């Protein structure tokens, strides 16, 4: 209709008519010709070479897990959407450019995108990889998988899944759902569109942009790290879904969390960074048993968690704080860590994941800010250097740490802005 109106206008017409809030703008034929873009022009623009590229050509490690029985370490590369498998004893020499993995899983068939969580099945060695933001699936690979291969199976997860903990005695997988401020569980064998088995979500839970998650089966506790941003969920009684990134409508599957489109308008707020501690049997809008939060905790965008049940210790990869914090599993309130690993000799830089290898008495930390995964003795503290490191780039290579970036441009300062 618009084009027929434009064609009927006189050649020198330039008129805007406003009717009930609707603005109809008429252009001359010459102006219309300028607005029309030919298929050839579209193809030319689509194939235009960039003037320059800002990218990282090397792996950035977002998560780590050790398969001590098979003497391997599995690392998630969130930069290039890959899973990398190395020998556990790999140690990149200072003068080497990098260490090559023994196997790489990556490519369009793998469905790996912004992969930020990893779990290794202790019996089979299967690799469970959690995707965040752009690929709403858990993907599971056989331990010998390599190359651009289809997952052994996939599970559709709520949008924004981040951390994973597996309760082996109960046969359950438990995920943090970042944007929905929720924790949701599935059977460990769940695949395709299988439904969740239980859910934690609501204001009383104090879940606020949850990331890391860990289980303490000895004490029957669940620990979750929270960045702090949250909003009040509500059921959408009018049936209007303003923002729904999943193919499932709220209420169509039991225990499927409400997403950001079902939050009360104006209820958004920022809570202090925290670790919320729940009874393992907590469900629904259940309040935490305890909350670890406050300036003495040094929590600053804490991500990965790991529990040492025997020693009663909680390990925390403190991303923005550039540190590894260790708390008692009984810690509460503004607790002081019992150990802190931090300083230039540690090589920690945006640590995002921590794993304790009990068999070899080692602590592994994935660093998202400097192309390294660093290894320490389990009780390391202070400004202690790693005993080994796996490096994916030459020493000192800058890490832009771009992940799911949005682009803006500051015309005054002539700067490109890339929030992640």
């Amino acid at each position: 209709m618009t084009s027929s109106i434009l064609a009927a206008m006189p050649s020198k017409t330039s008129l805007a008519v406003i009717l009930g809030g609707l603005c109809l703008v008429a252009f001359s034929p010459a102006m219309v010709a300028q607005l029309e873009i030919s298929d050839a022009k579209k193809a030319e623009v689509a194939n235009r070479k960039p003037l320059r590229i800002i990218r990282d050509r090397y792996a950035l490690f977002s998560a780590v897990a050790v398969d001590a029985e098979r003497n391997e370490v599995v690392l998630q590369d969130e930069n290039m959407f890959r899973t990398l498998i190395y020998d556990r004893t790999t140690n990149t020499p200072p003068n080497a450019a990098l260490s090559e993995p023994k196997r790489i899983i990556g490519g369009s068939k793998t469905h790996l995108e912004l992969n930020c969580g990893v779990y290794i099945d202790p019996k089979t060695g299967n690799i469970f990889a959690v995707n965040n933001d752009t690929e709403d699936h858990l993907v599971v690979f056989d331990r010998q998988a390599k190359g651009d291969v289809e997952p052994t199976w996939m599970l559709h997860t709520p949008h924004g899944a981040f951390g994973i903990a597996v309760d082996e005695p109960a046969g359950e997988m438990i995920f943090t759902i970042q944007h929905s401020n929720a924790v949701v569980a599935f059977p460990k064998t769940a695949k395709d569109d299988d439904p969740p088995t239980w859910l934690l979500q609501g204001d009383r839970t104090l879940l606020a942009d949850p990331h890391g998650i860990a289980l303490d089966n000895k004490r029957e506790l669940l620990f979750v790290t929270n960045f702090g941003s949250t909003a009040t969920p509500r059921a959408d009684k009018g049936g209007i879904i303003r923002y729904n990134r999943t193919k499932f409508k709220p209420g169509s599957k039991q225990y499927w969390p409400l997403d950001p489109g079902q939050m009360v308008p104006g209820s958004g707020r920022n809570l202090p960074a925290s670790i919320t501690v729940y009874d393992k049997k907590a469900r629904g809008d259940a309040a935490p048993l305890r909350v670890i939060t406050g300036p003495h905790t040094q929590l600053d965008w804490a991500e990965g968690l790991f529990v040492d049940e025997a020693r009663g210790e909680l390990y925390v990869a403190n991303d923005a704080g550039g540190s590894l914090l260790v708390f008692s599993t009984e810690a509460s309130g503004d607790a002081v860590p019992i150990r802190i690993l931090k300083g230039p000799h540690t090589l920690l830089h945006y640590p995002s994941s921590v794993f304790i290898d009990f068999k070899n008495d080692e602590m592994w930390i994935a660093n998202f800010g400097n192309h390294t995964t660093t290894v320490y003795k389990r009780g390391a503290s202070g400004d202690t250097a790693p005993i080994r490191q796996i490096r994916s780039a030459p020493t000192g290579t800058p890490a832009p740490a771009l992940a799911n970036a949005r682009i803006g441009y500051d015309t005054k300062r002539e700067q490109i802005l890339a929030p992640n």
Side-chain angles (χ1 to χ4, degrees):
M1 181 181 292
T2 302
S3 60
S4 63
I5 291 174
L6 292 172
M9 292 293 182
S11 60
K12 294 184 179 180
T13 297
S14 179
L15 176 68
V17 181
I18 301 177
L19 296 173
L22 174 64
C23 180
L24 301 179
V25 182
F27 300 93
S28 69
M31 296 171 69
V32 173
Q34 291 178 356
L35 294 174
E36 293 178 348
I37 302 175
S38 67
D39 290 341
K41 184 65 175 178
K42 291 178 183 178
E44 177 191 338
V45 172
N47 295 320
R48 184 179 297 166
K49 299 289 185 183
L51 294 176
R52 60 190 184 280
I53 298 174
I54 302 172
R55 67 183 291 253
D56 194 339
R57 298 185 293 113
Y58 302 100
L60 282 177
F61 301 129
S62 57
V64 56
V66 176
D67 186 344
E69 296 305 314
R70 300 163 186 87
N71 221 32
E72 293 181 337
V73 60
V74 178
L75 299 172
Q76 296 291 64
D77 171 14
E78 193 172 334
N79 182 44
M80 292 187 282
F81 305 163
R82 304 180 303 173
T83 296
L84 310 180
I85 299 94
Y86 296 84
D87 281 321
R88 184 190 63 81
T89 56
T90 298
N91 187 23
T92 310
N95 59 348
L98 51 84
S99 289
E100 293 287 352
K102 61 191 298 186
R103 296 192 306 280
I104 298 176
I105 304 170
S108 59
K109 294 179 182 178
T110 66
H111 292 271
L112 287 169
E113 287 187 17
L114 296 172
N115 39 315
C116 54
V118 65
Y119 176 77
I120 301 173
D121 187 300
K123 293 181 179 179
T124 65
N126 287 347
I127 298 169
F128 292 60
V130 181
N131 293 307
N132 179 257
D133 276 345
T134 59
E135 172 62 72
D136 294 337
H137 286 93
L138 167 81
V139 288
V140 182
F141 299 96
D142 180 85
R143 68 167 299 267
Q144 295 290 358
K146 63 179 179 179
D148 187 8
V149 295
E150 293 279 351
T152 305
W153 78 84
M154 300 169 58
L155 169 67
H156 184 191
T157 54
H159 179 65
F162 193 94
I164 180 173
V166 177
D167 187 345
E168 288 289 348
E172 285 186 329
M173 301 180 291
I174 311 172
F175 303 93
T176 52
I177 309 301
Q178 182 185 352
H179 312 306
S180 297
N181 304 309
V183 169
V184 64
F186 291 82
K188 187 184 172 186
T189 56
K191 59 183 63 176
D192 301 327
D193 290 334
D194 287 347
T197 51
W198 56 265
L199 171 70
L200 268 177
Q201 188 180 39
D203 281 352
R204 295 182 71 243
T205 68
L206 299 184
L207 290 167
D209 198 359
H211 280 70
I213 185 168
L215 272 169
D216 183 345
N217 274 318
K218 181 178 179 180
R219 297 165 183 82
E220 297 192 333
L221 297 174
L222 181 69
F223 297 86
V224 177
T225 55
N226 301 276
F227 279 15
S229 61
T230 189
T232 299
R234 65 176 173 86
D236 199 336
K237 296 179 181 179
I240 300 173
I241 301 174
R242 299 184 181 181
Y243 173 67
N244 191 0
R245 291 293 298 274
T246 175
K247 68 180 182 180
F248 299 112
K249 293 182 179 179
S252 65
K253 295 181 75 173
Q254 191 176 20
Y255 305 123
W256 196 265
L258 297 176
D259 68 19
Q262 287 79 50
M263 300 298 160
V264 175
S267 67
R269 57 201 181 277
N270 285 309
L271 304 178
S274 69
I275 299 173
T276 42
V277 188
Y278 307 89
D279 185 293
K280 180 181 163 182
K281 297 182 179 64
R283 303 290 186 268
D285 190 11
L289 299 173
R290 291 177 274 120
V291 180
I292 304 170
T293 187
H296 291 103
T297 67
Q298 300 189 33
L299 293 172
D300 192 354
W301 280 23
E303 288 195 31
L305 289 174
F306 197 96
V307 171
D308 182 341
E309 294 181 0
R311 295 187 180 183
E313 294 181 342
L314 176 67
Y315 291 75
V316 185
N318 197 33
D319 187 325
S323 59
L324 186 284
L325 309 176
V326 183
F327 296 92
S328 164
T329 51
E330 304 300 325
S332 182
D334 193 10
V336 175
I338 57 178
R339 289 196 306 281
I340 300 173
L341 181 67
K342 183 177 182 178
H345 293 100
T346 67
L347 302 184
L348 295 179
H349 197 49
Y350 298 134
S352 56
S353 176
V354 57
F355 188 95
I356 305 302
D357 174 2
F358 295 112
K359 182 177 180 180
N360 298 288
D361 200 37
E362 292 180 340
M363 176 172 64
W364 289 72
I365 300 176
N367 296 286
F368 197 66
N370 62 4
H371 305 104
T372 70
T373 290
T374 43
V375 191
Y376 313 83
K377 297 304 292 182
R378 180 165 35 154
S381 64
D383 189 10
T384 301
I387 57 176
R388 295 192 309 281
Q389 64 172 291
I390 295 176
R391 190 162 26 81
S392 66
T395 301
T397 301
L402 294 171
N404 200 15
R406 271 63 170 169
I407 298 298
Y409 183 66
D410 184 338
T411 56
K412 182 177 180 179
R413 298 172 181 81
E414 295 188 338
Q415 293 178 340
I416 298 171
L417 309 178
N420 287 271

